Amino acid sequence: MKKTLALSLAVAMAAMITACSNGDSGAGSVNTESSKTESAQAAGTFPLSKEKSTLKVLAVQSPYVQNYETNDFTKYYEDLTDVHVEWKFAPPQEAQEKLNLALTSGDLPDVIVGFGVSSAQQMVYGQQGIFLPLNDLIDKYGVETKKLFEKYPEVKQAITAPDGNIYSLSGIDRNPHTLAPQKMWIYEPWLKKLNLNMPTTTDEFENVLKAFKTMDPNGNGKKDEIPMSGGVQDSMTNVDSFLMNSFILHKLTSNELLFDENGKIDAGFTKSGYKEGLSYLHKLYAEGLIDNEAFTQNNSQLKAQVENGDPTVGVVASSSFAQFTDVSKDRWKDFAAIPPLKGPSGLQQTPYLYYNNSGGNFLITGSAKDPELAFRWGDALFSDDISLRANIGTEGVGWKKPEEGASGLNGGPATWVRLIGFGTLQNNSWMQTAPYHFSKEMFEGLAADEVSVPRKLYDATVNNYEPYKSSKEQEVPPIFFNEAQAAELTMLQKTITDYVKESKTRFIIGDLSLDKDWNNYISTLDGMNLKRYLEIYNEAYTAQYKK
């Protein structure tokens, strides 16, 4: 059976709809009439093997999949490819430990998926032959991979090691919401109750928090309002994650690193803008506008704080309100996104992720008996319709066709309606276990009610954050480090980042004084060899991106 894979979800959906209506098994669908012998030789066709074959796959087990052996997608993909999978799993909390054990013991599967294997491990084990370079396989058989490289050239650059080899493929997520994750949410009924406008500057934001603290916006006659809270389990819920961007680009996904005016990677946490941001946050804290619990509580505790009893929390920084509210209830519906606030210098920006790909998520090991088969099995998972089925589910179970005339998130024609939400225990899909491709077009084709999580996140991103997105030139991209660099960086990075994190909290709560202790903070970082830390980043960046 032959298959020409679709270029976009909309095309794939249209093809499936046409096939269902007319019995047409042409472009965009699997031709079940072709013989396996004929199709086994050509890239992009199915099955992948003349005879039933087996792949041993080590994966991180999704907590949302009931049973991979009986899973609907497992059965579908085995029938399509004639490849049976012998699974071996690592629980998410033990993933790195299980991966390290497999790599050092030599007891390797054919394929490793979902571990996000670091660039350093890819380099070290790739040069030892434990991970196979994929370049030749991509050239010969990479039907879907080549399409992705053409569409996202930055992904190919980011996963190409300095030695020129590609050792892994990435999951690619272009959901607009995930590209601008550093958001902040405000309890809108309190603004209306107090006749306040949405704040647009850091000064206005401070005044809103003061009103929340003093004017009893929940109307219960108690001084129980918490103007702003947060948490420490997720960096996006840290009190600095959103507000610091009014003073300096503060991209948490890049370890708070940025490019200076000379195009060199530098540390944002040593700059004057960072100091000014800390001063602002300390002022909010000293005025009782930031809750003490924000520096210690996890997501469950934060969610309990927001959900319990009368509304008591006014503002939380978070990628999504799902991190601090219960979306099965109603309170989340009243939290609105605050646009990036204009700082004292006029800076108004949101960190934007141009390299939003989860690297190290598909690798073929030196123990693979048939690398070609293993690669083709992984390559096909990137096709729009197979990726849809693998991660969203079967039509009629995981998703369905929309009503005629239904609009997608972007106002264009809808192409699908989700039936099983992410995070639901099910046995119909792999729920992002293996590599996948979620295009922007796919997400924008989602039909969603006006009051729904996807609609609210999409609208908040497009209307409030995309207009202020940082430039691509400002983003420190994913970087490969060789074995020596990785070893040295590991020793330096933990010491430096732990100290920065501790000092940030102490400056905000006033345990350290910005007037008296800032110079000592900088000199301590110098003593931790911050200069060498940045040199390693710049050396590796130059080797990978400045050839």
Side-chain angles (χ1 to χ4, degrees), residues 96 100 118-121 124 255 479-499 528-529 532-534 536-537 540:
Q96 191 60 50
N100 292 342
S118 70
S119 60
Q121 283 185 310
V124 172
N255 293 325
I479 297 174
F480 275 88
F481 301 98
N482 62 37
E483 186 173 5
Q485 290 170 334
E488 189 177 2
L489 192 65
T490 298
M491 295 174 62
L492 294 171
Q493 184 161 288
K494 180 170 175 52
T495 302
I496 290 170
T497 55
D498 284 354
Y499 177 69
M528 292 176 172
N529 213 350
R532 177 57 186 155
Y533 174 74
L534 295 173
I536 295 171
Y537 263 94

Side-chain angles (χ1 to χ4, degrees), residues 242-320:
F242 177 85
L243 293 174
M244 187 64 78
N245 286 286
S246 298
F247 302 87
I248 189 173
L249 182 63
H250 188 58
K251 189 168 286 189
L252 299 179
T253 54
S254 300
N255 293 325
E256 300 180 45
L257 300 177
L258 44 72
F259 285 105
D260 65 16
E261 60 275 9
N262 299 315
K264 295 290 187 181
I265 296 174
D266 204 348
F269 48 79
T270 64
K271 303 304 175 188
S272 59
Y274 185 82
K275 183 181 179 182
E276 292 168 14
L278 289 177
S279 178
Y280 176 74
L281 287 163
H282 170 64
K283 183 182 180 184
L284 298 183
Y285 181 84
E287 293 172 339
L289 305 179
I290 299 177
D291 186 36
N292 286 328
E293 302 298 322
F295 302 96
T296 58
Q297 65 188 355
N298 60 29
N299 283 2
S300 296
Q301 292 167 321
L302 174 60
K303 189 174 292 189
Q305 188 182 57
V306 172
E307 287 286 354
N308 288 347
D310 293 328
T312 57
V313 178
V315 172
V316 180
S318 176
S319 175
S320 166

Side-chain angles (χ1 to χ4, degrees), residues 113-177:
V113 298
F115 281 83
V117 179
S118 70
S119 60
Q121 283 185 310
Q122 290 179 47
M123 284 278 286
V124 172
Y125 291 105
Q127 291 176 351
Q128 293 176 9
I130 293 175
F131 297 144
L132 297 183
L134 306 179
N135 305 52
D136 290 344
L137 293 169
I138 293 170
D139 289 343
K140 293 179 182 178
Y141 309 109
V143 175
E144 300 303 324
T145 305
K146 288 175 183 175
K147 292 178 185 177
L148 295 184
F149 286 173
E150 183 176 352
K151 187 170 185 176
Y152 311 110
E154 72 277 7
V155 170
K156 181 179 181 180
Q157 187 177 35
I159 66 175
T160 301
D163 63 7
N165 286 323
I166 295 174
Y167 295 106
S168 79
L169 300 181
S170 302
I172 298 174
D173 186 343
R174 289 299 183 269
N175 180 350
H177 154 62

Side-chain angles (χ1 to χ4, degrees), residues 177 180-189 191 197-200 205 242 314-321 324 332-341 350 453 455-468:
H177 154 62
Q182 290 173 238
K183 300 178 172 71
M184 181 168 269
W185 306 88
I186 192 166
Y187 193 64
E188 202 165 25
L191 289 176
N197 295 322
M198 180 70 74
T200 61
F205 179 72
F242 177 85
V315 172
V316 180
S318 176
S319 175
S320 166
F321 39 80
F324 64 90
W332 67 271
K333 299 174 184 177
D334 287 322
F335 278 90
I338 302 177
L341 299 172
T350 188
V453 172
R455 166 64 66 186
K456 194 177 185 76
L457 292 176
Y458 179 83
D459 287 348
T461 302
V462 172
N463 297 329
N464 293 336
Y465 297 107
E466 283 190 351
Y468 303 99

Side-chain angles (χ1 to χ4, degrees), residues 361-394:
N361 271 344
F362 176 86
L363 304 99
I364 300 174
T365 76
S367 296
K369 295 180 180 178
D370 191 341
E372 173 194 323
L373 179 71
F375 176 79
R376 293 180 64 196
W377 180 87
D379 177 75
L381 289 169
F382 287 110
S383 77
D384 290 317
D385 48 351
I386 292 177
S387 190
L388 172 73
R389 190 162 186 159
N391 299 288
I392 305 300
T394 309

